[in-house]
Amino acid sequence: MKRRLVLIGAALSLAGCATRPLHETLGDPVLARAAIVKSADEDGRPIAETLVRQLGNRHDVLLLSGGGSDGAFGAGVLVGWTASGTRPSFDVVTGVSTGALMATLAFLGPAHDADLVKAYTGVTNKDIYRKRGLVGLARNAALYDRTPLENTIAGVVDEKLLDEVAAEYKKGRRLYVASTDLDAGLTTVWDMGRIAASTSPQRVTLYRQVLAASAAIPGAFEPVYIKQGEPQPTMHVDGGVKTAIIFRSYMIDTRGSNENLWTIVNGHISYRGAKELSGANAPTIVGRSISELMRTVTQRSVQRAYMMARNARAKFNLAFLPDEIEETNPIDFNPPDMKRLFDYGVAFGRAGKWLGQPPRLETLEKMP
């Protein structure tokens, strides 16, 4: 945790030396605009998509949070859930950050569990990034070169995989991923099925870009610039900057009789943060403050999803790492540590002891 805090503090101190790239990012701006799910119209009224399913059928929504290498827990939950024989075919899957990286495999079902195992127990730091150091941070607004991550994504996301996603999209199933549009200060929700089902020759490029953007931790990795038709491409960073999970009203049917929301948090939902005293230097103070903000984002995001689910008369189900299970350093992809969290997730998935509400709710926060 200390290394992460110092990294964030150093990023804030030095990244101001970097400049915005002037080149236009390759891609299909028309497809990018079409793939963004608008949450409101010009008058601020919510925009709802129509769910493609028959009223009364079982409806399952899976939410996957961020957490870096802690995503090994969520991957384990999915694999263990498959082994239990009770894992549903999800109608909607959403992902943020590391949750975005695993969301496609979760969406496509148990046939891709082996890919989840490989992605979250077999990768190392060299498969995710190369160190740049403080000079690289000043020049590129990032301590790490994410080219290895992009190569890893490219090794999984190809034309064949997108054809599989497109086939499920045409059946009415939906897959959404979030990034943070740092220019507008908004969460951008991407309809990944729409991208996959496109006939654009740039569909694979955009799909990979969105996944890289959702996991682009500010200060650690460079932003991803996505062309949407404006003179300059839009800057996108980690979706976890604004929200830990994605859940919107159009993802569930308030008239349904068997609605289920499954939320996997790849990390703790802690009441308090680090137990040790904070360091007195500026990077540590700034970094720890940001860490506290992110912890609050996780708590509030989960509580919001819980209240929305209960207002829709849906069953809420929650999995997260208990405080006694040590988290990994989210930017340290150490196979033994990830295997430990993966195995814990498998055990949880097999047992299926999901919580019906977030921990430590106050009386008036609980829903009937």
Side-chain angles (χ1 to χ4, degrees), residues 104-122:
T104 298
L105 302 178
F107 178 74
L108 293 177
H112 286 273
D113 279 3
D115 295 321
L116 281 172
V117 175
K118 180 180 178 181
Y120 284 95
T121 65

Side-chain angles (χ1 to χ4, degrees), residues 111-347:
H112 286 273
D113 279 3
D115 295 321
L116 281 172
V117 175
K118 180 180 178 181
Y120 284 95
T121 65
V123 301
T124 63
N125 289 345
K126 67 180 179 61
D127 299 305
I128 307 299
Y129 56 77
R130 290 193 293 262
K131 292 184 178 180
R132 279 182 170 144
L134 295 181
V135 174
L137 173 64
R139 291 178 177 174
N140 301 283
L143 275 173
Y144 304 111
D145 176 1
R146 68 163 183 271
T147 300
L149 172 61
E150 293 177 350
N151 292 336
T152 297
I153 292 173
V156 176
V157 177
D158 55 16
E159 295 280 354
K160 180 178 181 296
L161 189 82
L162 262 62
D163 286 344
E164 292 183 51
V165 173
E168 297 305 311
Y169 173 79
K170 291 173 183 177
K171 294 177 184 177
R173 300 177 64 217
R174 294 293 180 261
L175 171 62
Y176 300 106
V177 161
S179 65
T180 299
D181 179 345
L182 210 55
D183 292 321
L186 297 172
T187 296
T188 297
V189 178
W190 299 88
D191 187 335
M192 305 303 283
R194 185 182 291 267
I195 297 174
S198 167
T199 58
S200 169
Q202 295 293 325
R203 64 171 187 154
V204 174
T205 297
L206 179 59
Y207 202 103
R208 292 171 178 172
Q209 281 182 319
V210 171
L211 295 184
S214 187
I217 303 170
F221 302 123
E222 283 183 79
V224 175
Y225 294 88
I226 299 177
K227 188 72 173 173
Q228 297 173 39
E230 296 83 358
Q232 289 288 335
T234 307
M235 179 190 291
H236 290 264
V237 298
D238 194 325
V241 169
K242 295 286 289 185
T243 184
I245 51 178
I246 321 168
F247 183 52
R248 298 290 187 268
S249 297
Y250 57 76
M251 297 177 185
I252 206 159
D253 193 338
T254 57
R255 302 166 299 168
S257 59
N258 193 356
E259 311 293 305
N260 305 278
L261 184 68
W262 308 89
T263 302
I264 299 177
V265 175
N266 291 300
H268 296 157
I269 306 180
S270 304
Y271 176 71
R272 59 172 294 168
K275 296 179 180 178
E276 70 273 9
L277 295 176
S278 175
N281 58 75
T284 301
I285 292 172
V286 172
R288 187 152 179 176
S289 298
I290 293 174
S291 180
E292 286 302 304
L293 287 172
M294 299 307 294
R295 192 165 62 87
T296 300
V297 166
T298 298
Q299 292 171 341
R300 295 307 182 193
S301 296
V302 172
Q303 289 177 9
R304 179 177 181 271
Y306 159 71
M307 288 187 286
M308 290 175 67
R310 298 307 299 133
N311 277 328
R313 297 187 298 278
K315 185 177 180 182
F316 179 82
N317 305 274
L318 175 65
F320 61 94
L321 274 179
D323 289 350
E324 62 268 20
I325 304 298
E326 185 179 358
E327 292 179 305
T328 65
N329 179 332
I331 58 171
D332 186 9
F333 292 81
N334 180 28
D337 285 342
M338 295 174 70
K339 183 64 164 54
R340 171 177 57 84
L341 295 188
F342 179 85
D343 288 344
Y344 183 84
V346 169

Side-chain angles (χ1 to χ4, degrees), residues 91-105:
D91 299 86
V92 178
V93 176
T94 78
V96 174
S97 196
T98 196
L101 298 178
M102 73 173 72
T104 298
L105 302 178

